[in-house]
Amino acid sequence: MSVLIAIPARYASTRYPGKPLVPLTGASGQSQTLIERSWRAAMAVSGVDRVVVATDDDRIRDVAEGFGAEVVMTSDTCTNGTERCAEAHEALGGGYEIVVNLQGDAPLTPHWFVEDLITGLRAAPDAGVATPVLRCDGAALNGFLNDRKHGRVGGTTAVFAADNSALYFSKEVIPYTSDTYADADPTPVFHHVGVYATRADSLAAYPAWPTGPLETLEGLEQLRFMENGRKVLCVEVEARGRQFWELNNPHDVPKIETMMAAMGLD
């Protein structure tokens, strides 16, 4: 199956305007923008036919082309990354069997997350979409709970059935647990990693569906697939000692830079 990775990036983020162009300093002191680091993460994925940055903003286009990325310009009417990926795929003439939406705010996404995701979707012909989930250790769970306690949106969590089909995604911490966990303890909470591998037919259908109440309430684009009866497959991935965090708010910048330094990532 041919695979396209599209990295949707917009300047006018509600929570963090200009986020794709925010500089992040790696372990060696080298500074690169968020969009460049996300592109480099995509380029490290094996078995992919093409990688593009999808944006509606000239500033992002200019920076992306400056570091060597292929850019597809999309309209400013896209309401989320999945719509932008669908528009980019169409602009390229279609033809890719799987389109990976590697969101431009996850520069720490390991290549094997995406590779395992593609493999999982290929093995599940009844699924229209696949997305990775990572079991939280106590440190990650306590970080999520602390964010919510202080009114911040941290990571998204996922619950899924025995066949790994998604039951729900939420910016709240689900499922509820009254237990306490040490930093290294495994927990029953799964962090949803914001990457999607979508079959071309499901992606093409997505923009025409109305935004449903769950997507509206949570602000999570993957819920539109579920509200329209498409199976979303949760693929459990392994951290392999790597830390993972999305850049959602300005306070995430030093956290991600600290993680990069600890892992020796330039």
Side-chain angles (χ1 to χ4, degrees):
M1 291 185 179
S2 56
V3 178
L4 168 72
I5 294 182
I7 306 169
R10 67 188 184 109
Y11 192 91
S13 169
T14 302
R15 285 181 287 171
Y16 198 169
K19 183 169 67 171
L21 303 185
V22 169
L24 292 170
T25 301
S28 66
Q30 182 180 8
S31 180
Q32 295 175 349
T33 61
L34 173 61
I35 188 62
E36 180 172 358
R37 291 192 179 278
S38 297
W39 176 77
R40 293 189 183 280
M43 294 296 288
V45 178
S46 64
V48 172
D49 298 281
R50 194 172 187 179
V51 175
V52 300
V53 172
T55 187
D56 61 357
D57 191 273
D58 292 342
R59 291 162 290 190
I60 295 173
R61 178 200 61 200
D62 292 345
V63 169
E65 289 182 341
F67 59 70
E70 180 182 2
V71 178
V72 178
M73 295 303 292
T74 56
S75 67
D76 60 4
T77 58
C78 297
T79 63
N80 58 41
T82 301
E83 289 189 7
R84 198 172 303 282
C85 288
E87 191 172 307
H89 184 229
E90 183 178 5
L92 292 171
Y96 293 92
E97 295 166 281
I98 293 176
V99 179
V100 176
N101 171 357
L102 181 60
Q103 299 191 65
D105 58 4
L108 299 181
T109 304
H111 62 87
W112 63 85
F113 280 21
V114 184
E115 292 158 0
D116 289 352
L117 181 63
I118 294 168
T119 298
L121 185 59
R122 284 175 169 159
D126 60 333
V129 190
T131 193
V133 293
L134 181 65
R135 186 183 292 274
C136 290
D137 59 17
L141 174 57
N142 292 330
F144 290 166
L145 292 171
N146 187 59
D147 276 340
R148 298 309 296 131
K149 179 181 178 180
H150 291 90
R152 296 189 295 262
V153 176
T156 296
T157 56
V159 291
F160 46 91
D163 66 352
N164 290 93
S165 59
L167 297 174
Y168 197 60
F169 298 89
S170 182
K171 289 178 180 175
E172 292 292 346
V173 180
I174 57 173
Y176 167 77
T177 172
S178 61
D179 293 339
T180 57
Y181 301 90
D183 283 354
D185 288 347
T187 78
V189 176
F190 283 84
H191 180 192
H192 171 241
V193 181
V195 185
Y196 307 95
T198 308
R199 297 188 189 278
D201 60 335
S202 292
L203 185 65
Y206 184 94
W209 293 328
T211 303
L214 297 180
E215 181 187 357
T216 300
L217 288 167
E218 292 276 6
L220 296 174
E221 60 201 276
Q222 66 269 35
L223 292 173
R224 193 183 307 183
F225 288 109
M226 298 174 67
E227 289 185 276
N228 286 276
R230 298 293 174 110
K231 178 179 176 178
V232 177
L233 179 72
C234 290
V235 177
E236 185 174 355
V237 293
E238 298 293 333
R240 302 185 192 175
R242 282 278 295 268
Q243 294 176 293
F244 176 85
W245 201 267
E246 297 167 0
L247 203 162
N248 293 304
N249 304 288
H251 81 274
D252 290 325
V253 171
K255 183 180 295 186
I256 289 176
E257 290 179 331
T258 299
M259 289 179 175
M260 289 193 296
M263 292 183 286
L265 299 177
D266 289 336

